Amino acid sequence: MIQIEELTKYYGERKAVGPLSFTIDKGEVVGLLGLNGAGKTTTLRMLSSDLLPTSGRMRVDGVDLVESPEKVRPKIGYLPDRPPLYGEMTVKEFLRFAAKLKRTKGDVDKRVAEVIELTDAGEYANARIDTLSHGYRQRVGIAQAIVHKPKLLLLDEPISGLDPVQIVEMRALIRSLRGEHTTVVSSHILSEISETCDRVLVIRDGEIVAAGTEEELRERMGDDDALPLGPAGTVTRRSAVRKVTLIARAPEGKDIAHLLGLIKAIEGVDEAREAEALGEGKGALAVAIVTGTDVREELVKTVVTSGYGLLGLERDSKELESVFLELTKKGRRKAPDAEAKP
Amino acid sequence: MSATLLIAQRELKAYVRSPLGFVLAAAVLLGEGIWFMAKAMGSPGEKALSAQVLAETFNGITGGTILACLIMSMRLIAVEQEQGTLILLKTSPISDRVVVAGKFLSVMVVLTLLSLLSAYMPALIFVNGKVSLGHIFVGYLGTLLLGAAVTAIGLFGSALAKNQVIGFIISGAIVLVLLLMWMVAKLSEPPLSDFLDGLALHHLRQRDFMTGVLRLDNVAFYVSLCFVFLLATIKTLEARRWR
């Protein structure tokens, strides 16, 4: 769907992007992950044909974006970091305008009604855009990006500035677009990308420093990095280290010490210690567990068969964050296969 | 509906929905009315030919037109840039030419409506004096051509600037220089003075229209100005894709 070859963008003497080469297949949801100023927005602006590259080639659906932008634009839907909305228009009016501007085929009113329903913006369909909350503006922004049924959807930080409820809803919305569009989502938040994307391209200083699925990135970190020490001074591959928190309710006569004993006895568990069971109420026990392998099934079986009520099993998000931090850290060498599609 | 009309229609709706459109129209019409009563009609007892009164009326209308076109056009692209909506137009399957044409058209529609609303003044002269419909038509043609040229300059200023105030200052400065070109011409010798006088936006060019004289070179001058500044606007938008 997208072929990028040696793409660069300079603002005067300053390099913003490149050289950048990657491909994205039809139907994929790919995350462009990087810190602020890494070149994500510039890359998306070039892909949307808003900005011309200094050098390199971009092809969308086989058509060169620089040579024939007007042929490619109907195939692209773009939500910039700030949704392009006319405040004085109502949601319905604006989407009708955007649909006609983007030469939407078929019945425009019907399509507008469809995208309003899809983005769950029906409640405010007749409200002026300047009266909407940030979350609804973002929904209308996505609606204008998909109203003409583009093959490629570019979303620049779609979750930025949303509250937790809106984040969950926006993730669900992005996931619901899977299959119908090839989607590129940019973000500087790893959890956002890992929740919604099939594959991640990590960008730093305008170059891709890593590419792959979340698991592959973690593996790569394990291969590349200095290996951290495991329990009892043993060397543990970082990629195999998993941190999970188990929350359970203890039956009569059993306590945290008993639970810790059960967990430590499971093969593969390197460490288990008491943690805080925040917000779970009286009687809830929490255990932070470090394992060398994936022992979640065994953990659940052990805890439940021992009479504990399992309340939750969460992977430590800090683990993902550390992968991101390592990948985007200045001075780190470029991953050898970063430019090739894994 | 073509994309040009679609963009023009959206701009027109934006004028109607914001107080700017109404306040501007009211202020311009009020100013033109005061000019008509105080300047064109002359003092009580003072006799003037109705053709002279009509010419002076158009003089006032052209002043209002210049100001209205500058204010209306300053926001056309700069506001889109400020509000982040320009990207919607730039990533849609339409050319920059269509964007500029749509915006230009919207101001011309408002200007035509403003001209129609000011028609009561020439109509009063027509009813009570001796002027021809041709004179009135030529006078308004001159007003619309002048308005079109100022709008094209305003669009150019708006495309150059990142906010509308700067856009107004840029286009206002260009219009002012072109308005005062006849004064510069006076300081120089022929043939340079003739050339500079020919560049003056209002002085000799509008005098012909105001007195009911339709000359092809005057029409060509305003059309050329429109073409040059609209082309410059399109090129400015295209150049933005590089930065």
Side-chain angles (χ1 to χ4, degrees), chain A residues 4-15:
Chain A
I4 303 290
E5 292 166 25
E6 296 294 315
L7 191 74
T8 64
K9 180 69 195 177
Y10 281 80
Y11 293 116
E13 293 291 305
R14 188 176 66 82
K15 186 189 87 173

Side-chain angles (χ1 to χ4, degrees), chain A residues 108-257:
Chain A
V108 166
D109 288 335
K110 195 178 159 198
R111 180 60 188 157
V112 167
E114 276 172 16
V115 292
I116 286 177
E117 196 186 329
L118 189 67
T119 54
D120 201 15
E123 194 183 339
Y124 296 100
N126 293 311
R128 270 176 69 120
I129 289 171
D130 54 11
T131 64
L132 298 183
S133 68
H134 179 64
Y136 271 97
R137 280 165 170 257
Q138 208 74 342
R139 282 167 190 268
V140 180
I142 289 191
Q144 67 77 27
I146 61 172
V147 72
H148 57 303
K149 296 185 181 172
K151 288 183 176 176
L152 172 63
L153 187 58
L154 308 169
L155 306 175
D156 193 358
E157 310 234 0
I159 290 172
S160 166
L162 300 182
D163 67 35
V165 175
Q166 290 170 334
I167 286 174
V168 172
E169 289 172 349
M170 187 57 74
R171 278 178 187 158
L173 174 58
I174 294 169
R175 275 196 293 264
S176 73
L177 301 172
R178 187 188 296 264
E180 222 174 301
H181 314 268
T182 302
T183 309
V184 182
V185 184
S186 87
S187 179
H188 58 272
I189 305 165
L190 180 63
S191 56
E192 177 187 327
I193 294 285
S194 63
E195 289 278 340
T196 49
C197 300
D198 305 325
R199 197 156 64 89
V200 184
L201 303 174
V202 183
I203 187 166
R204 196 196 68 219
D205 295 336
E207 295 180 46
I208 293 188
V209 292
T213 62
E214 189 192 311
E215 286 299 316
E216 285 167 344
L217 290 183
R218 199 181 287 117
E219 289 288 336
R220 188 164 301 151
M221 287 307 297
D223 291 340
D224 284 2
D225 270 27
L227 302 177
L229 285 178
T234 58
V235 176
T236 310
R237 275 187 59 195
R238 190 184 190 123
S239 57
V241 173
R242 290 168 193 277
K243 293 176 185 171
V244 290
T245 303
L246 180 137
I247 305 166
R249 196 174 300 284
E252 281 288 317
K254 290 182 180 170
D255 59 11
I256 188 74

